[in-house]
Amino acid sequence: LPAFAPFSVPNAAFWEQFGDGLEPHWKRSQATKDGEDEVRYNGEWAVEEATELAGITGDNMLVVKSEARHHAISAPLDKPFDPAQRGLVFQYEVKLQNNLNCGGAYAKLLTAPLSGEFSDATPYTIMFGPDKCGDSKVHLIYRHKNPITGEYTQHHLKEPPTPPTDRLTHLYTLVVHTNNTISVSIDGSERRVGSLLEDFEPPVNPLKEIDDPNDKKPSDWEDEAKIPDPDAEKPGDWDENAPLMIPDEDAIIPEGWLENEPLMVEDPEAEKPSDWDSDEDGDWTAPMVANPRCADADGCGPWKRPQKRNPDYKGKWTPPLVDNPRYTGEWAPRRIDNPEYFEDLEPYKLAKIGGIGFELWTMQSGISFNNIYLGDSIEDAVQITKNVWEPKHNAEVAVRDALNPK
C-alpha cells in the first residue's frame, strides 16, 4: 500500500489530516444531560488508521468507536470564516468501516463566536453530510437570520442526493457561490445544483401576501355547485336490500370433486413416540397432513355453489345532483400584506463560522472522518481531490477487488 504523506493547503481557513491526533485542537463535548451531572455525549472517539479496506498506511482518521451512543466533538478555527466575502467551499472524507444502518456522518459548521460546551443546541451556520436512518440522503441545511425578528430558521435542501454506504472512503463537497447557487458533489462528481433562494424548504423569503386570518366565510355563502335534487323520489321498484352477490344456480359440481374426502387426514406414517406417557401427555393422536387423494382431484369436502353478481342489485338509492340555484362560487379569504414579509436577495451572506463539529447518534461504530477542508477556493478542493482522495480511493478499490476476486 502507498504510505501517507502530509498535504499542505496554505490558504485554508481550516485543514485537518489528524497527523497530530486529537489534543489539543479537537475537544470532546462535556455537555451534561438536562438536570443531571452525567455527560450527555458518552460515545468514544479515537484517531487511528483504518481497519477495513485500508488504502494508505499511516493515514490517521477521526473514528467513532462506540455503538448506539451520542457522540460530539469539535475544533475551533484560528479565526472566524466569513462566507459573505468570497463564498464557501467545505469538503471532507467519510469512511463507513462497518457500513451504516442507522446513523449520521454529517458535519456542522458552527456559528461564531463559539461559547459553552458543544451540543445539539450549539448554533450552526451549515449542516452538511450523509445520514441514513430509514431514508438515506446527504443533508444540506443552512440557518438564516430573519432581519425583522432576529430569529434563525433552518432551510433544508429539497431533493438531496443519496450517499453511497459501502466501506470505501467517499468525498463530500459543498460549494456556496456568491450568486446564491450551491453545488453538492460526491467523489468529485456534481450530484445536485440549486439556489439558496429557490431550492430550500421553507423558502428563505416569506410570501408577500397571505390569507387574512380574521376573514371568515359568511354564514349564507353557498360554495356547493351541485346539490341533491329536492324533488327527486326513489322509484317504487328500487330494492335497497337486494344482495350484491347471489349463488350461481347454473353451476354444477365438477366431475372430479370428492365430496366425501376430507382436506386433512392423520399422517399414516406417524408413530407414537416411545416415551409418550398417556397419563401425563394424554391420548396420542397422529398429526394431520394434506389428504393425498385430493392432490389430483378438482376439490375435496362439501361443495358449495359459487357466487355471482346479482343482476337486480342496485344498492342504496341517492337523489341525483342538480345545479345549486344559490351557488355563489368558491370562497377564499381575502389576501393581505404579510406583516412578517422581508426580501433578502443575498442569503449567501451566511453567519460567520467559528468552528467545525460532529454531533451524531449512530447505531454503528467505525464511522471515520478525514481531510477536512474549509475555505473559499474551489481550486484547493480540486487539488485535494486529485492528490489526496483519488490515490486513497483507488488503493481501497484495489484492496477490495483483491479480497473479492471474480
Side-chain angles (χ1 to χ4, degrees), residues 112-349:
L114 304 181
S115 63
E117 288 291 335
F118 176 45
S119 72
D120 60 348
T122 301
Y124 66 86
T125 298
I126 285 177
M127 189 169 87
F128 173 67
D131 184 33
K132 179 184 179 183
C133 209
D135 61 342
S136 183
K137 59 185 175 183
V138 177
H139 273 301
L140 175 52
I141 305 171
Y142 76 93
R143 296 173 71 248
H144 178 267
K145 185 177 181 180
N146 186 312
I148 297 177
T149 65
E151 297 180 350
Y152 280 88
T153 300
Q154 296 179 3
H155 301 275
H156 297 246
L157 177 65
K158 294 184 288 188
E159 301 178 6
T162 301
T165 54
D166 55 35
R167 299 185 182 188
L168 300 174
T169 297
H170 293 284
L171 185 70
Y172 293 86
T173 308
L174 167 66
V175 180
V176 179
H177 298 280
T178 55
N179 63 357
N180 295 316
T181 61
I182 61 97
S183 168
V184 174
S185 298
I186 301 176
D187 297 345
S189 175
E190 197 169 60
R191 298 284 299 278
R192 181 73 164 92
V193 294
S195 165
L196 295 174
L197 290 166
E198 300 172 359
D199 294 298
F200 285 77
E201 185 65 34
V204 64
N205 291 315
L207 295 172
K208 192 172 185 178
E209 290 185 338
I210 60 171
D211 292 341
D212 184 354
N214 299 316
D215 191 16
K216 306 297 182 184
K217 182 171 69 173
S219 59
D220 59 349
W221 190 281
E222 290 281 347
D223 53 10
E224 296 291 337
K226 297 284 187 178
I227 60 172
D229 185 353
D231 299 325
E233 296 182 358
K234 182 174 71 173
D237 61 347
W238 192 287
D239 184 4
E240 292 187 343
N241 296 319
L244 174 63
M245 304 297 291
I246 58 175
D248 184 357
E249 298 298 336
D250 297 327
I252 59 174
I253 185 171
E255 185 176 341
W257 193 283
L258 306 178
E259 284 193 276
N260 297 322
E261 288 289 341
L263 292 173
M264 304 293 290
V265 296
E266 291 186 359
D267 186 353
E269 299 181 359
E271 297 181 359
K272 184 172 72 173
S274 58
D275 59 349
W276 188 276
D277 188 335
S278 299
D279 293 334
E280 293 186 4
D281 303 326
D283 294 336
W284 181 83
T285 57
M288 305 297 285
V289 295
N291 188 344
R293 294 183 180 179
C294 298
D296 298 324
D298 292 330
C300 284
W303 178 77
K304 292 183 179 180
R305 199 175 297 278
Q307 299 278 306
K308 69 175 184 178
R309 187 176 180 87
N310 184 359
D312 296 326
Y313 173 78
K314 294 184 178 180
K316 185 174 179 60
W317 180 84
T318 56
L321 296 178
V322 296
D323 291 337
N324 183 356
R326 300 176 58 194
Y327 176 66
T328 48
E330 293 290 334
W331 183 86
R334 63 174 173 266
R335 303 284 286 179
I336 61 173
D337 291 338
N338 185 355
E340 298 180 358
Y341 173 75
F342 64 84
E343 186 178 46
D344 182 356
L345 298 180
E346 298 178 319
Y348 76 90
K349 294 182 177 180

Side-chain angles (χ1 to χ4, degrees), residues 90-112:
F90 178 57
Q91 178 172 280
Y92 71 112
E93 294 175 357
V94 177
K95 184 177 179 66
L96 307 174
Q97 298 191 76
N98 297 321
N99 291 329
L100 188 63
N101 294 324
C102 184
Y106 44 80
K108 291 182 176 181
L109 305 184
L110 307 179
T111 304

